[in-house]
Amino acid sequence: MKVNTLGLRSFSSSSIVKGKPGYSIVHPVHHTVKIDKKVLSPRFPELKYPKNDPRSPHFKPVNVAPDRLKEHYLNILKSDLMYMTYKHDEADKIEGAKKREWDGTSAYHLNRNLRRPSGFVKEQPDSHRVTNKNVPELKSIHINCFVPLAVTNPHHAISSMLQVQQITGEKPQPIYTKSDVGRWQIRRSRRAGAKIELKGKPMNDFLLTLTELVLPRIPEFQGLRNKSGDTYGNLHFGLTHKQVRLFPEISSNPDLWPRTYGLHITFNTTAERDTQARMLLSGLGLPFFGGERHS
Amino acid sequence: MLRNSLRTTNSVCVRGFSTSSIARLAEPIENVKTKTPIDSISSSLFLSRVPIVTPTLGEFEKQYYKYQDELQRRLMWSFPYYYYFKKSSLAEAAFFKNQKWPISKEEGVFYPKGTPNIKHLRERSEKQVINVKEEEDENSKFKKESDVVKPIVPNSRITDADVKKDLKSLERKLDSTLYLIVQDKKSSEWKFPSFKYNAEERISALDEYATENIQNISQKDFNMFTVTNTPIHVVKYDSSNKVVNNASTNVASKEYIIKSHILAGDFVLNQKESQFKDYLWLSGEELPEYLSKDYYKQVEFLLADY
Amino acid sequence: MLTNTIKLQSGLGLSLSQRIMPASASISSMMAGTISSQFTRGKRTKSKSTMSQGTQRVVGQLSVMSAARKQPLRLKLTNEDLVRHQVVHNAWAMLQKQKRQVREEKLTKQFEAMQSAMEDLKHGVEDGGVLFGFGSKFEKTKKRVSLELRVPTEYPPNQVWNHKYSKSD
């Protein structure tokens, strides 16, 4: 154990001195450098190409047809939204509620954690005024199809997955249950539905199908609730299993779909406030209803 | 104490958002001292009809999309026909009848284009072509019935108004944005419609004033969507009614521009009751022919891309 | 046409198999057909008809999603084709970049123009700040883009423009 004097790294050297078992205060250094073995290995050269290279096995053409929603957004909506969100003499940045200092009246304030922000439990992000640089834009659409029935009957997990695949044209990911709830007959880590994040052209295609074919055919549909939203510019609504039947991919083959599954749809936007996100989505063809509060 | 000092330095280090815009605002504004009287102010309406059809593609774009589409078809998974058509059903037979089968592999035969590699009735080295159109059968009993169902023929992107070159129609140039311009009775100049304020009347908002006045001079009703109550631009004129391009010239009158889109109905000018004698719906490309050079230069950046 | 090709192919196949297939092969295939207990790789042990209809449907659904037997062969481009592809790709990227720059420049100008128009309205009009008051009024809620502002389609609708609009409706 005298090797230590040479300056070599060793574990639990203090325990020897004290004559009792201890723990090393020297953090291990191995495995901290991440090595991309794909790059080092000579075995599969084609895996090293970027995904947009036709030699790569992941190659998938992207711009297969003009995207009319994107073109409409860039041509008309973007500048309109910039005009609509403009407020003269607005500050460039409005700071969100942050954690506060203690006033120091007590000696115990010294090492105490900071006070929670006033009016909130968590710190709030800053919001910025909309300029030509940050006009609200639709980033992605998340579709979540949770089927609790699938826990007891795994067939539903497969059917719901195919349903999401058919209406979006993209490959979904499975959802797994996270907890055991006896009352709802839910057990942990069972497949229970499908989810997908749509971006780019598939996202715009899905949105156009929704606004032009599906939603107009729902008689009781009033629009998205003006109260929906997570206050940070992401809106949310749901379709029941009956409404899902109106998607053309399903309504054209009703025999194949004796059972359909409801969806939760989240619109993820770059807007920092819900009011701006609603403005954007109204421009993309989604109606709204009900009372609105500003955030 | 230490924490306090750290916090303050931190807040100083935070980078400000778009500081350049603040600098822009802090610049001295021209003609602040000389205020323009209200009867030299007018509210101008930038009224547009948004495109109804997608933009016409250029030759390169067309070919690029075709190429990408072919690549996608080549790399697509085979069509799972067995899922859509039940085995030995009529629908399956009709589907099979429409398909052109790939050449299958036979032993002892030389294939100059490579040995066939077929899975799920698809040649794996090529794109899969699925024919969905039913072939017409001369002897079919249901021929008359199928005549009733008309095939879907898309409407033409070129309308009658395009053929007749009717510059006053809202149905022309469906693939580009149209803008309303009017010709003044006195000066015979083409401009966006603008309405001067009257010093004796109650001052109303710029957007309300413009939208009310434009409806008043139209014979027909029309619906429009005013984007915002904020003016999007100001065009300044000197005493001889020429467009002011530089800050040093004295400003005699101003036009604040309000943006709006027409949604339904028609604008038909009532010549007797207005200061305008003619109107046109023009695309952005046609505007320079009618607008004066200085005026066009002022408003060019307001126009949409197409 | 279709029936003709099938006939032709099957005729060819028959004659070939008759000519090429050795006697032993035909015997072994016959034996495989008769002796059911013999193990053959990939042969279905459970017949599909014993599955319930629901299970059959789910099996079908699973096969739609799986890549098995559906993937095409990989692209094999010659060097010349690859260079051609890259040239096309770069040309497209350049075109998009140009368009994007023009759009961004225009949007910047629009923003600055609105800002300076409002400053002008604030300081350069002799109206006691009435017009500026109206112009800077900002409603936080219920600001919407009109739903009638439709997304352009590839071909026009049957009724290109609604001419029959009246205010009273």
Side-chain angles (χ1 to χ4, degrees), chain B residues 21 24-25 29-32 34-38 41 49-54 60-61 64-65 67-68 71 74-80 82-84 86 96-97 99-104 106-109 117 119-120 122-126 154-157 159 170-171 174 197 202-207 215 220-223 225 227-234 236 254 256 261-266 300-305, chain C residues 2 5-6 9-10 12-14 16 20 53 57 60-61 63-77 81 84-89 91-93 95-96 99 102-103 105-128 130-131 133-139 143-146 148-168:
Chain B
S21 61
R24 228 183 293 124
L25 263 181
I29 296 125
E30 74 256 30
N31 306 310
V32 170
T34 54
K35 288 197 172 186
T36 319
I38 189 72
I41 301 289
R49 188 224 63 190
V50 298
I52 290 169
V53 299
T54 50
F60 172 63
E61 283 167 323
Y64 179 79
Y65 284 129
Y67 173 57
Q68 292 281 310
L71 274 178
R74 162 71 178 77
L75 294 171
M76 252 182 207
W77 286 4
S78 307
F79 174 62
Y82 47 84
Y83 175 68
Y84 294 95
K86 237 180 196 174
F96 282 164
K97 201 184 159 195
Q99 305 316 312
K100 201 183 165 192
W101 302 109
I103 297 167
S104 53
E106 301 285 356
E107 273 181 55
V109 178
N117 185 343
K119 266 178 192 171
H120 276 331
R122 183 243 181 117
E123 169 57 53
R124 289 178 71 223
S125 64
E126 280 171 22
N155 298 325
S156 169
R157 287 165 61 99
T159 56
L170 276 165
E171 292 188 3
L174 298 182
Y197 273 95
R202 191 181 63 86
I203 304 172
S204 56
L206 287 165
D207 54 324
Q215 306 261 13
K220 281 188 175 179
D221 286 349
F222 60 93
N223 188 17
F225 161 63
V227 175
T228 172
N229 53 343
T230 316
I232 59 166
H233 189 34
V234 55
K236 294 168 186 172
K254 289 173 187 169
Y256 290 95
H261 299 295
I262 188 166
L263 301 172
D266 276 305
E300 193 188 357
F301 65 90
L302 297 177
L303 309 178
D305 297 343
Chain C
L2 193 70
T5 51
I6 285 173
Q9 281 173 9
S10 60
L12 194 71
L14 256 178
L16 276 172
I20 296 165
Q53 213 177 8
R57 185 183 300 118
Q61 287 176 341
S63 77
V64 171
M65 284 187 286
S66 90
R69 293 171 63 80
K70 286 208 289 291
Q71 280 183 318
L73 293 178
R74 293 256 312 278
L75 272 183
K76 274 182 191 164
L77 298 185
D81 282 345
R84 206 176 280 154
H85 176 91
Q86 280 158 353
V87 168
V88 172
H89 179 78
W92 178 258
L95 185 72
Q96 297 311 306
K99 281 186 179 174
V102 170
R103 272 200 309 265
E105 210 173 291
K106 201 187 263 179
L107 207 65
T108 314
K109 272 186 188 171
Q110 286 175 356
F111 184 73
E112 284 169 3
M114 179 155 69
Q115 217 170 19
S116 59
M118 279 303 278
E119 275 301 294
D120 193 281
L121 197 64
K122 193 176 182 182
H123 300 291
V125 184
E126 211 178 309
D127 64 338
V130 178
L131 281 184
F134 283 128
S136 61
K137 205 158 77 182
F138 185 80
E139 284 172 36
K143 255 192 173 183
R144 297 282 178 269
V145 179
S146 174
E148 286 174 64
L149 212 64
R150 297 283 169 97
V151 180
T153 47
E154 205 169 336
Y155 295 99
N158 290 338
Q159 187 198 9
V160 178
W161 188 256
N162 174 18
H163 296 281
K164 289 173 189 165
Y165 173 82
S166 76
K167 266 183 198 170
S168 51

Side-chain angles (χ1 to χ4, degrees), chain B residues 11-276:
Chain B
S11 64
V12 169
C13 286
V14 168
R15 201 176 134 273
F17 185 78
S18 93
T19 38
S20 61
S21 61
I22 302 170
R24 228 183 293 124
L25 263 181
E27 283 168 17
I29 296 125
E30 74 256 30
N31 306 310
V32 170
K33 284 173 190 170
T34 54
K35 288 197 172 186
T36 319
I38 189 72
D39 51 3
S40 308
I41 301 289
S42 40
S43 178
S44 181
L45 192 70
F46 180 71
L47 187 62
S48 63
R49 188 224 63 190
V50 298
I52 290 169
V53 299
T54 50
T56 311
L57 298 177
E59 199 50 43
F60 172 63
E61 283 167 323
K62 241 186 242 173
Q63 287 184 7
Y64 179 79
Y65 284 129
K66 175 102 188 359
Y67 173 57
Q68 292 281 310
D69 184 57
E70 288 291 312
L71 274 178
Q72 192 196 31
R73 281 168 194 279
R74 162 71 178 77
L75 294 171
M76 252 182 207
W77 286 4
S78 307
F79 174 62
Y81 62 89
Y82 47 84
Y83 175 68
Y84 294 95
F85 307 107
K86 237 180 196 174
K87 208 170 184 182
S88 65
S89 66
L90 280 175
E92 192 198 41
F95 171 75
F96 282 164
K97 201 184 159 195
N98 284 328
Q99 305 316 312
K100 201 183 165 192
W101 302 109
I103 297 167
S104 53
K105 188 183 165 187
E106 301 285 356
E107 273 181 55
V109 178
F110 173 69
Y111 296 92
K113 285 185 178 177
T115 321
N117 185 343
I118 293 170
K119 266 178 192 171
H120 276 331
L121 307 179
R122 183 243 181 117
E123 169 57 53
R124 289 178 71 223
S125 64
E126 280 171 22
K127 71 169 180 181
Q128 189 179 19
V129 183
I130 302 285
N131 301 325
V132 281
K133 196 186 148 197
E134 276 193 37
E135 281 176 26
E136 282 185 25
D137 195 353
E138 289 289 321
N139 306 323
S140 173
K141 284 180 191 173
F142 306 105
K143 209 201 163 190
K144 274 186 185 173
E145 215 168 292
S146 65
D147 277 351
V148 179
V149 185
K150 284 177 189 168
I152 298 166
V153 180
N155 298 325
S156 169
R157 287 165 61 99
I158 294 163
T159 56
D160 292 345
D162 282 324
V163 178
K164 287 178 195 162
K165 291 186 180 163
D166 180 7
L167 297 183
K168 287 179 183 172
S169 170
L170 276 165
E171 292 188 3
R172 65 186 297 266
K173 290 225 169 187
L174 298 182
D175 60 346
S176 50
T177 316
L178 298 183
Y179 306 95
L180 176 70
I181 58 166
V182 288
Q183 193 177 25
D184 199 71
K185 269 180 183 168
K186 283 180 200 165
S187 61
S188 302
E189 267 188 14
W190 288 98
K191 268 200 294 188
F192 297 129
S194 69
F195 308 96
K196 231 174 201 148
Y197 273 95
N198 194 340
E200 285 143 26
E201 285 174 15
R202 191 181 63 86
I203 304 172
S204 56
L206 287 165
D207 54 324
E208 281 173 26
Y209 194 68
T211 48
E212 270 173 31
N213 276 292
I214 195 88
Q215 306 261 13
N216 290 342
I217 60 165
S218 173
Q219 290 174 5
K220 281 188 175 179
D221 286 349
F222 60 93
N223 188 17
M224 53 197 226
F225 161 63
T226 306
V227 175
T228 172
N229 53 343
T230 316
I232 59 166
H233 189 34
V234 55
V235 184
K236 294 168 186 172
Y237 296 89
D238 62 6
S239 48
S240 58
N241 224 4
K242 275 188 175 173
V243 176
V244 173
N245 280 325
N246 49 341
S248 58
T249 327
N250 274 337
V251 176
S253 61
K254 289 173 187 169
E255 277 177 11
Y256 290 95
I257 296 180
I258 291 293
K259 189 177 185 180
S260 188
H261 299 295
I262 188 166
L263 301 172
D266 276 305
F267 174 79
V268 180
L269 185 66
N270 189 347
Q271 287 171 333
K272 282 177 192 171
E273 289 176 18
S274 75
Q275 74 250 39
F276 309 116

Side-chain angles (χ1 to χ4, degrees), chain A residues 153-156 158-159 162 256 258 261, chain B residues 82-83 86, chain C residues 44 46-65:
Chain A
N153 183 359
H155 286 185
H156 294 300
I158 294 164
S159 299
L162 184 69
L256 295 176
Y261 307 91
Chain B
Y82 47 84
Y83 175 68
K86 237 180 196 174
Chain C
R44 238 178 243 284
K46 203 189 269 181
S47 78
K48 221 180 173 184
S49 56
T50 57
M51 283 194 281
S52 74
Q53 213 177 8
T55 317
Q56 272 181 43
R57 185 183 300 118
V58 169
V59 168
Q61 287 176 341
L62 209 52
S63 77
V64 171
M65 284 187 286

Side-chain angles (χ1 to χ4, degrees), chain A residues 188-214:
Chain A
R188 203 181 298 169
S189 65
R190 302 294 161 111
R191 261 197 186 196
K195 64 178 178 183
I196 194 167
E197 184 186 9
L198 296 172
K199 279 179 177 178
K201 186 147 197 310
M203 170 185 80
N204 289 338
D205 286 347
F206 175 76
L207 187 55
L208 283 174
T209 324
L210 199 67
T211 55
E212 291 179 352
L213 297 173
V214 180

Side-chain angles (χ1 to χ4, degrees), chain A residues 109-129:
Chain A
H109 284 170
L110 200 59
N111 283 325
R112 193 179 278 181
N113 286 340
L114 290 177
R115 274 176 86 188
R116 63 162 181 76
S118 70
F120 296 95
V121 179
K122 285 190 289 184
E123 284 200 341
Q124 298 298 304
D126 302 337
S127 65
H128 304 90
R129 73 160 177 168

Side-chain angles (χ1 to χ4, degrees), chain A:
Chain A
M1 281 297 151
K2 290 281 172 192
V3 188
N4 270 338
T5 51
L6 290 173
L8 284 179
R9 203 176 125 272
S10 80
F11 294 97
S12 57
S13 49
S14 60
S15 61
I16 301 158
V17 181
K18 288 184 180 172
K20 59 182 179 181
Y23 59 88
S24 165
I25 52 166
V26 183
H27 293 290
V29 289
H30 50 261
H31 294 189
T32 54
V33 181
K34 279 188 180 170
I35 295 168
D36 193 355
K37 292 196 176 172
K38 190 173 78 179
V39 178
L40 292 181
S41 159
R43 289 178 65 202
F44 306 109
E46 59 273 13
L47 283 179
K48 291 170 199 167
Y49 294 118
K51 279 186 182 180
N52 63 354
D53 193 301
R55 285 168 294 183
S56 161
H58 302 295
F59 175 66
K60 191 186 170 198
V62 181
N63 301 307
V64 289
D67 188 344
R68 62 192 175 103
L69 190 67
K70 189 182 162 199
E71 280 168 352
H72 175 65
Y73 173 80
L74 292 175
N75 189 33
I76 305 288
L77 271 184
K78 200 173 180 186
S79 70
D80 279 7
L81 286 169
M82 187 187 72
Y83 288 143
M84 284 169 77
T85 46
Y86 181 77
K87 191 181 169 191
H88 196 63
D89 290 339
E90 194 182 17
D92 278 347
K93 185 173 126 184
I94 299 164
E95 205 165 289
K98 294 281 159 12
K99 281 188 177 169
R100 295 169 293 171
E101 293 280 340
W102 294 100
D103 52 8
T105 50
S106 161
Y108 294 109
H109 284 170
L110 200 59
N111 283 325
R112 193 179 278 181
N113 286 340
L114 290 177
R115 274 176 86 188
R116 63 162 181 76
S118 70
F120 296 95
V121 179
K122 285 190 289 184
E123 284 200 341
Q124 298 298 304
D126 302 337
S127 65
H128 304 90
R129 73 160 177 168
V130 176
T131 64
N132 53 325
K133 295 273 169 59
N134 58 345
V135 183
E137 201 174 337
L138 186 61
K139 233 192 303 183
S140 62
I141 295 179
H142 290 251
I143 296 172
N144 201 54
C145 178
F146 177 62
V147 187
L149 268 178
V151 175
T152 42
N153 183 359
H155 286 185
H156 294 300
I158 294 164
S159 299
S160 61
M161 200 128 163
L162 184 69
Q163 179 197 289
V164 174
Q165 195 209 49
Q166 295 253 304
I167 62 178
T168 60
E170 297 287 301
K171 187 159 184 164
Q173 302 296 318
I175 296 179
Y176 296 93
T177 46
K178 286 180 184 168
S179 51
D180 302 299
V181 184
R183 264 184 302 161
W184 301 340
Q185 294 173 323
I186 282 179
R187 272 178 292 164
R188 203 181 298 169
S189 65
R190 302 294 161 111
R191 261 197 186 196
K195 64 178 178 183
I196 194 167
E197 184 186 9
L198 296 172
K199 279 179 177 178
K201 186 147 197 310
M203 170 185 80
N204 289 338
D205 286 347
F206 175 76
L207 187 55
L208 283 174
T209 324
L210 199 67
T211 55
E212 291 179 352
L213 297 173
V214 180
L215 300 183
R217 285 202 258 163
I218 304 174
E220 69 274 15
F221 183 74
Q222 284 176 284
L224 268 68
R225 223 167 252 285
N226 265 328
K227 277 175 185 154
S228 93
D230 65 349
T231 70
Y232 308 123
N234 303 313
L235 305 186
H236 176 91
F237 87 112
L239 289 177
T240 64
H241 69 278
K242 276 183 190 167
Q243 292 164 348
V244 165
R245 288 197 164 275
L246 297 170
F247 274 94
E249 291 84 358
I250 290 172
S251 65
S252 57
N253 305 305
D255 304 348
L256 295 176
W257 293 101
R259 184 162 211 154
T260 48
Y261 307 91
L263 305 171
H264 288 296
I265 299 169
T266 308
F267 299 99
N268 189 4
T269 69
T270 60
E272 288 173 342
R273 296 168 206 174
D274 284 353
T275 44
Q276 290 169 2
R278 281 177 212 125
M279 221 181 277
L280 165 69
L281 288 189
S282 70
L284 298 176
L286 285 160
F288 285 87
F289 81 101
E292 186 180 14
R293 51 155 202 255
H294 62 80
S295 56

